[in-house]
């Protein structure tokens, strides 16, 4: 099916073909790339070499022009790449544009416009409630009526690999009279799934759930770093701010919606039935399995399929007040947490608020992150014929401030 | 002092010289402009014509390249403009680049990177608390320790004059079992002062209060439109989202800090003494007086000098966790409200939560905004020698959704 020599069970088979931006040593110019097997196709060069009509969309060193081009172009590019990589007549022409994956440096794949973070895992919301308010066992009253969200800081969304500097800030120890200042003592992760908007929407006009795929290009992984002590002290009444705004890491390869057809499942039953603008006729739950590794050790495998609110519902909610979308908008799921202990998407939950340290190999334990810790989040989803679609890691190490 | 014929008491005298972006009928290209008297100097053309070294910064149709250039360039441009407008030998050359203010269309002056909204008026915070929680008469426990803020939606920051479409959304009437959906019934304004960041900062590094003027270019007016019913239902636990994200209007002319030297005053005494990173040696309270007009009728004159947290403190807080600044970041003061009834910066406060309608001429009253209402916010500040520095209005009308 391909003239390429693809490794067995590669996360980057011909049914995946995600997009990112990379450079190689000695040639710092950023190009659009498509990982396939253990190589990356330099799509910028390949499109120029084949004089593809879409070649000009790939020259800016970010995906934004491709994102803005819309579904017909997205299909055309994807079909062209598949054709190039399967028809032997393209082999000689394309081979010079394949670079070993191990030799590329990946960059932030798109210029982020606005960043919105949802809070759509019921299990996570229940856990967070129970940890912070041990006598409260219920969700907030609005939680099952709307997908709760807040705006994050777009300017500190960073590429996988960028070190995360431990943030300083105010925190007020329990029982203290006044806050103290210093490095966060409860630095945490949140394993999330991000959706990347391609096609803008008209100001003053809501985007319906049915138009999801007309606007959203694809999916990445997000680590929404969180300083729990800063967040706890600052968040009332206007929500999280400095506890989140120091860094948000995203995975290098954006998996197009077209690669996730086999991952689509019905979301959980919603009770109460949501208001009209939140109803969907199509299945847009996504059967992704995330994996969180701390210093190389698998600590959790959160399932995405059980998220209460789906991405089309999130998009419809985000725009129902007339707020417009721009190319490069990123909205993330919120922490993905399943019902089991080893399916929790944050250290807050894995250590139950720091009260129950969890084990690492070598007799080590953790509650929150220590300097030098490295966190990697990956994911996979069902592809056709028993294959798996891989997402590639979002990875970063914590460095002292 | 000038070869120009300046109207007496003009808000745009030679000590003001704010910057904006405009076009004229028949010539849609956007140029950088400086209002002076009742004209606008086409700075893009004037700089090109005089072969000024900074001319290339003014050709993009937005202020961002000028903002990014930093204080030495800001000084050079300001001194050049003053020289051109005062030295008679420039009159013949410059006169063709003066356009009547009444004939220009103004545009959003800069591409907004991230938008942050503070909550720094003590009187506003006290009023909001009393209106929403009649038995609570105190500020939130963190309020006097840090300037509370949240991130807003940068993509819906719009130019003055852009109509504001009444947002739809969920709201839950008191006592109802479930939320209903429809147009907001409590559409409000917030009169605020905005600060525009020019020079970026390094990720992972805090910006001290002393470096405020090395990063911030100037000041504008902001109307942070708010749908109180949407906001009330959605805001717990993560803060305002759709209640704010449909539109934020900004005034057309950015007043440089250099024009506000005579407006600088000591802020109010802060008790408790803030943590070290929030202390300032310079006076950065600003003696601006805002004016809010509803359908042409003056309804309030909020004083900015009494804001509890100053802009350098807000900037230091915003970055103390290592969050970096980008050119075009906008941070706003939060609603500006003084102690008197006619100094309240929102209709929420003017109508005390809708319970006390306020009067308009012709026997009319208002609680919140009706379709067709037009709101204009202006401001002025002391200049040298008893003159006033004017800000120019941020104005918009409400249209049905």
């Amino acid at each position: 099916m391909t003239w390429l020599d693809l490794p067995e069970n590669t996360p980057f088979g011909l049914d995946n073909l995600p997009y990112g931006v990379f450079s190689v040593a000695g040639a710092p110019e950023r190009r659009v790339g498509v990982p396939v097997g253990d190589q990356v196709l330099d799509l910028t060069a390949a499109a120029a070499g084949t004089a593809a009509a879409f070649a000009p969309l790939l020259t800016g060193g970010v995906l934004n022009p491709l994102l803005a081009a819309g579904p017909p172009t997205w299909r055309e590019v994807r079909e062209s790449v598949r054709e190039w990589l399967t028809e032997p007549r393209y082999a000689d022409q394309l081979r010079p544009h394949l670079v070993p994956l191990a030799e590329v440096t990946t960059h932030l794949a798109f210029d982020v416009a606005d960043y919105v973070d949802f809070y759509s895992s019921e299990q996570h919301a229940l856990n967070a409630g129970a940890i912070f308010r041990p006598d409260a066992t219920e969700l907030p009253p609005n939680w099952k009526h709307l997908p709760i969200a807040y705006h994050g800081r777009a300017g500190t969304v960073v590429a996988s690999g960028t070190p995360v500097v431990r943030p300083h800030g105010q925190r007020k120890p329990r029982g203290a009279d006044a806050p103290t200042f210093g490095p966060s003592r409860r630095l945490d992760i949140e394993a999330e799934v991000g959706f990347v908007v391609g096609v803008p929407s008209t100001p003053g006009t809501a985007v319906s759930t049915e138009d999801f795929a007309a606007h959203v290009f694809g999916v990445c992984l997000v680590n929404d770093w969180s300083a729990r002590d800063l967040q706890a002290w600052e968040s009332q009444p206007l929500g999280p701010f400095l506890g989140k705004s120091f860094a948000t890491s995203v995975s290098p390869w954006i998996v197009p919606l077209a690669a996730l057809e086999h991952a689509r499942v019905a979301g959980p039953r919603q009770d109460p039935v949501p208001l009209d603008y939140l109803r969907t006729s199509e299945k847009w739950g996504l059967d992704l399995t995330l994996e969180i590794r701390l210093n190389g050790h698998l600590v959790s495998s959160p399932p995405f399929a059980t998220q209460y609110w789906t991405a089309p519902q999130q998009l419809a909610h985000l725009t129902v007040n007339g707020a417009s979308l721009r190319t490069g908008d990123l909205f993330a799921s919120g922490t993905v947490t399943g019902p089991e202990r080893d399916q929790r998407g944050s250290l807050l939950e894995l250590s139950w608020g720091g009260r129950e340290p969890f084990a690492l190999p070598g007799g080590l334990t953790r509650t929150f992150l220590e300097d030098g810790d490295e966190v990697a989040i990956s994911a996979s989803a069902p592809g056709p014929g028993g294959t798996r679609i891989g997402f590639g890691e979002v990875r970063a190490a914590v460095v002292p401030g």
Side-chain angles (χ1 to χ4, degrees), chain A residues 65-310:
Chain A
L66 174 62
L67 299 180
T73 302
W74 303 342
R75 277 192 293 274
E76 186 190 346
V77 176
R78 185 168 169 83
E79 283 163 13
S80 297
V81 172
R82 285 184 69 118
E83 186 182 357
W84 295 341
L85 297 176
T86 48
E87 300 283 342
R89 66 194 153 100
Y90 290 105
D92 288 347
Q93 190 177 357
L94 270 286
R95 225 173 245 120
H97 302 314
L98 289 163
V99 187
L101 189 52
E103 293 176 14
V104 308
T105 300
T106 54
H107 304 281
L108 194 59
F110 59 104
D111 287 337
V112 180
D114 272 299
Y115 165 49
V116 166
D117 197 24
F118 282 87
Y119 183 56
S120 290
S121 159
E122 183 173 3
Q123 190 64 55
H124 170 68
L126 286 168
N127 288 352
I131 290 166
F132 289 123
R133 301 174 296 276
D135 39 343
T137 55
E138 291 183 355
L139 294 167
N142 52 7
W143 202 93
K144 289 212 164 176
H145 293 282
L146 55 83
I148 293 173
Y150 67 97
H151 281 92
R153 188 165 184 82
T156 51
V157 175
V158 297
S160 176
T162 307
V164 170
V165 179
R166 181 180 295 272
H168 283 59
Q170 295 191 25
R171 53 279 202 288
K172 187 160 170 290
R174 190 185 300 268
D177 286 339
T180 57
F181 181 82
S184 171
R185 295 165 182 158
R186 290 163 70 93
L187 182 58
D188 198 359
I189 60 158
E190 295 193 337
E192 308 195 6
V193 175
F195 295 84
V196 181
V197 171
V199 177
S201 70
T202 307
T205 307
V207 175
S208 85
T209 57
E210 308 299 313
D211 286 336
F212 172 68
H215 290 276
V216 169
F217 174 80
V219 183
C220 62
L221 302 178
V222 175
N223 186 345
D224 179 35
W225 304 87
S226 300
R228 300 298 179 192
D229 40 359
L230 277 56
Q231 187 184 348
W233 171 232
E234 73 180 355
S235 286
Q236 284 303 322
L238 299 184
F241 183 53
L242 299 187
K244 301 279 194 172
S245 65
F246 55 98
T248 306
S249 304
V250 295
S251 59
W253 309 113
I254 314 301
V255 177
L257 293 186
L260 296 171
E261 283 301 312
H262 292 263
R264 290 174 60 179
V265 293
R269 184 169 161 274
Q270 296 183 317
D271 180 17
V273 174
L275 286 163
D276 281 350
Y277 78 93
L278 291 170
R279 294 187 199 169
T280 49
S281 61
E282 294 187 272
K283 293 180 189 174
W284 270 113
L286 290 172
D287 183 19
L288 315 187
T289 303
L290 280 62
E291 294 191 332
I292 305 173
R293 286 180 173 75
L294 176 55
N295 300 333
H297 175 68
L298 181 69
V299 294
S300 182
S301 302
F304 189 68
T306 53
Q307 288 283 111
Y308 192 83
W309 296 106
T310 65

Side-chain angles (χ1 to χ4, degrees), chain A residues 163-166 187 225 294-296 366 368-375 395-401:
Chain A
V164 170
V165 179
R166 181 180 295 272
L187 182 58
W225 304 87
L294 176 55
N295 300 333
R366 279 291 181 286
F368 294 97
L369 293 170
E370 300 189 0
D371 289 344
D373 278 351
E374 185 181 64
V375 176
R395 171 191 291 267
V398 175
V399 298

